[in-house]
Amino acid sequence: MVATLLRLRFLVLRNSLRRSTWQLIAVIIGAVYGLGVLGVAVLGLVALSFAPQELAATVIVLAGSAVVLGWIVVPLIAAGIDQTLDPARLAQFPLPMPKLLVGLTLAGVLGVPGVITTIASLATVASWIRYPAAAAAAVVCAALAVLTCVVGSRMVAALSVSLQSQRRFREISSILIFIPLILLGPIIIGVSQSVRNSADALPQVARALGWTPLGAAWSVPADLAAGDVGAAALKFVIALATLALLVLLWRRSLAAALVSPHAAASKRVARGKIGLFGVFPATPAGAVAARCLTYWRRDPRYARQLIVVPLIPVLLAFYSNNMHSLTLLTLAGPLVAFLLSLATLADISYDGTAFAAHLADGVRGRDDRLGRVVALAVIAVPIVLALTLITVAIAGAWHELPLLLGLAFGALLSGFGLTSVSSARIIIPVPAAGDNPFKSAPGAGFTTALSSFATWGILILLVLPEIVLTVVGFVTGSALIGWIGLAVGLVLGTGIAIAGIRIGGHQLDCSGPQLLSRLKTLRGA
């Protein structure tokens, strides 16, 4: 039965690669990249054999702990990884639990991440080759560490079945994973500064991790190399106990998942509850605004565009602190306004074939454009205003407030007008409703990038008067220039927004059926 499970795992993998030539090419490129990273890691571990014992121990324990943590955390934030042998699909078969555990474990070890982790773990033997007892222990501990990674990953995946069956959890987790990526620059700089300021910090962290389930298996050879047999024995017991506990938890959670698989959660709405449609006016534009604002509240494809709102002030504050000036921080409001103003660039693309309801009901293009702008304004205007006021208060630059408000609202209003025109003409591939909001739709890369860069360039040209006035105001410090900038931003931005709604509405009236046809083609309907 174990052999059958393994054969099934590789048959499914082979068939999925046969189905798409481009997927096969992507896998080959990924494999080459993975082998390159693995080669660098192996060479580094071999080079550690010539390094001092403490340095080798620090590097191996820290890196090994990070690998174990990564294996355990990834199933929580990345649903759908390696689901070839998903326990939910095996629930209908009478599989003995011991054989199922062995089969799933071996499938995990023989997967691409498992193979790479196994090879890298065994390469630690070369790091301790000068210490025979440590090198022998490294073989056993490498196997123990790999099993801990795979079993821990499977255990977490089984425990989170009920969460992964909930769409909201999948959406939020797929969004949260990108927050550290956005803050990667400050994180790297902060870690580098900490390492420079405290040379002894990393060895101390490594020694502490050696007594935890994350680093115990990696620390055993290091203690043997240092001659501390007692500590090595205790840490080996910790590693064994960790694996045993993970197997026990995995067995129980897997048994529960097989007996009573979790179904996707459903929600019933009380009769007569119409949500935001009861708040906005009973007009075509009001109905469109209510629908779009509901999407902003419930659809993660819209919500992902708000991730940068709290992160931009953090980034600007970090770099302002390094520059010993808070001037950069005060630009958070205008920068967020610039980005949010373009959030409706793919609005009709997100609608998909549901856009047919607008055409069937005879919604005028002007009402469609106005409703979408109002929905975005309800979110963007308070955010931009609050962010501008807060950053100005922190920097103590109240004399620059009119200038910054003029730039922020000039960009926001001009962006409303620009996207009202562009989204009535441009259809781009986007993730389908219910998909991972960061999923790359086929053909989306080049089209989306080209459309976005072109729109950004046009918006910069439209906001050029406000930008010039802002630069002059910062250089001269003139209060009059600040108030002129505020007036220009509000008046010029409002004019562009009104003109964009009218022009975009006319384009939508003329080309609505063609847009729907392109949407159907894009969806493969």
Side-chain angles (χ1 to χ4, degrees):
M1 186 174 296
V2 172
T4 301
L5 288 174
L6 293 177
R7 186 162 55 251
L8 176 63
R9 188 241 188 275
F10 289 109
L11 282 175
V12 173
L13 176 62
R14 185 191 67 180
N15 292 337
S16 64
L17 295 180
R18 282 182 173 180
R19 192 177 301 119
S20 172
T21 303
W22 287 109
Q23 184 176 357
L24 177 60
I25 294 174
V27 169
I28 294 174
I29 294 174
V32 172
Y33 175 78
L35 289 175
V37 174
L38 177 61
V40 172
V42 170
L43 289 177
L45 291 171
V46 172
L48 286 177
S49 62
F50 303 100
Q53 182 270 331
E54 185 179 14
L55 176 59
T58 300
V59 173
I60 292 175
V61 172
L62 290 177
S65 300
V67 169
V68 175
L69 182 63
W71 270 86
I72 293 176
V73 170
V74 164
L76 287 174
I77 58 179
I81 292 181
D82 193 18
Q83 293 299 314
T84 307
L85 296 180
D86 185 3
R89 300 179 181 179
L90 303 175
Q92 57 185 321
F93 302 106
L95 302 176
M97 183 59 66
K99 292 184 178 180
L100 180 60
L101 291 176
V102 174
L104 293 177
T105 301
L106 291 178
V109 172
L110 296 179
V112 175
V115 171
I116 292 177
T117 303
T118 301
I119 295 175
S121 300
L122 291 175
T124 59
V125 176
S127 303
W128 305 114
I129 199 66
R130 292 184 298 169
Y131 310 95
V139 177
V140 178
C141 291
L144 188 59
V146 171
L147 289 175
T148 301
C149 290
V150 174
V151 174
S153 174
R154 297 286 183 175
M155 182 270 296
V156 171
L159 287 175
S160 63
V161 166
S162 59
L163 293 176
Q164 296 288 6
S165 64
Q166 300 177 20
R167 174 180 169 184
R168 184 65 63 187
F169 175 84
R170 298 196 305 268
E171 294 165 348
I172 293 176
S173 62
S174 60
I175 289 176
L176 292 180
I177 190 176
F178 282 85
I179 293 179
L181 298 180
I182 297 175
L183 298 177
L184 190 59
I187 291 174
I188 293 176
I189 295 176
V191 171
S192 302
Q193 290 177 346
S194 299
V195 172
R196 287 197 302 266
N197 295 335
S198 179
D200 298 330
L202 294 182
Q204 293 175 2
V205 172
R207 285 192 289 269
L209 286 173
W211 291 100
T212 67
L214 294 177
W218 307 101
S219 187
V220 171
D223 287 335
L224 290 176
D228 193 347
V229 180
L234 289 175
K235 292 177 181 179
F236 187 72
V237 171
I238 293 174
L240 285 177
T242 299
L243 180 59
L245 180 61
L246 291 175
V247 171
L248 178 61
L249 293 175
W250 181 28
R251 181 188 180 99
R252 291 187 176 182
S253 58
L254 186 59
L258 291 176
V259 172
S260 56
H262 292 275
S266 60
K267 182 180 179 180
R268 300 187 65 179
V269 180
R271 183 175 299 177
K273 297 289 186 179
I274 60 176
L276 293 173
F277 290 93
V279 177
F280 283 86
T283 62
V288 173
R291 181 186 66 81
C292 292
L293 197 57
T294 301
Y295 286 176
W296 274 101
R297 185 172 59 90
R298 300 180 60 182
D299 193 332
R301 298 176 301 171
Y302 287 79
R304 69 168 185 167
Q305 300 176 85
L306 301 178
I307 298 177
V308 297
V309 172
L311 299 182
I312 284 179
V314 173
L315 290 172
L316 294 180
F318 177 82
Y319 292 116
S320 295
N321 184 57
N322 287 343
M323 297 169 57
H324 304 290
S325 174
L326 294 178
T327 301
L328 193 61
L329 177 63
T330 60
L331 296 177
L335 185 55
V336 168
F338 183 89
L339 296 176
L340 287 183
S341 68
L342 303 179
T344 56
L345 177 64
D347 224 21
I348 293 182
S349 301
Y350 286 142
D351 284 354
T353 52
F355 178 67
H358 285 228
L359 300 180
D361 291 337
V363 177
R364 293 189 307 170
R366 184 183 306 177
D367 293 326
D368 178 279
R369 304 288 85 187
L370 178 60
R372 295 178 192 270
V373 167
V374 169
L376 179 56
V378 169
I379 298 173
V381 170
I383 289 177
V384 171
L385 180 60
L387 199 54
T388 305
L389 292 174
I390 291 172
T391 54
V392 166
I394 293 175
W398 291 106
H399 61 284
E400 297 173 353
L401 180 60
L403 200 61
L404 293 170
L405 287 176
L407 178 60
F409 284 102
L412 193 63
L413 293 169
S414 299
F416 289 164
L418 175 60
T419 54
S420 294
V421 177
S422 62
S423 63
R425 303 181 63 91
I426 300 174
I427 298 296
I428 59 178
V430 296
D435 283 348
N436 187 316
F438 292 95
K439 177 181 178 181
S440 179
F446 177 77
T447 306
T448 304
L450 183 61
S451 303
S452 299
F453 284 127
T455 309
W456 291 348
I458 296 174
L459 181 56
I460 290 176
L461 292 177
L462 293 177
V463 189
L464 196 58
E466 293 95 318
I467 295 176
V468 171
L469 288 172
T470 301
V471 173
V472 173
F474 271 111
V475 172
T476 62
S478 171
L480 178 60
I481 296 295
W483 289 106
I484 293 176
L486 176 59
V488 169
L490 292 176
V491 173
L492 185 59
T494 301
I496 293 176
I498 294 174
I501 290 172
R502 290 180 177 273
I503 296 173
H506 177 71
Q507 290 179 344
L508 206 58
D509 290 333
C510 297
S511 60
Q514 289 79 9
L515 282 179
L516 180 60
S517 176
R518 290 163 58 190
L519 286 169
K520 288 184 176 180
T521 303
L522 205 61
R523 297 291 185 188

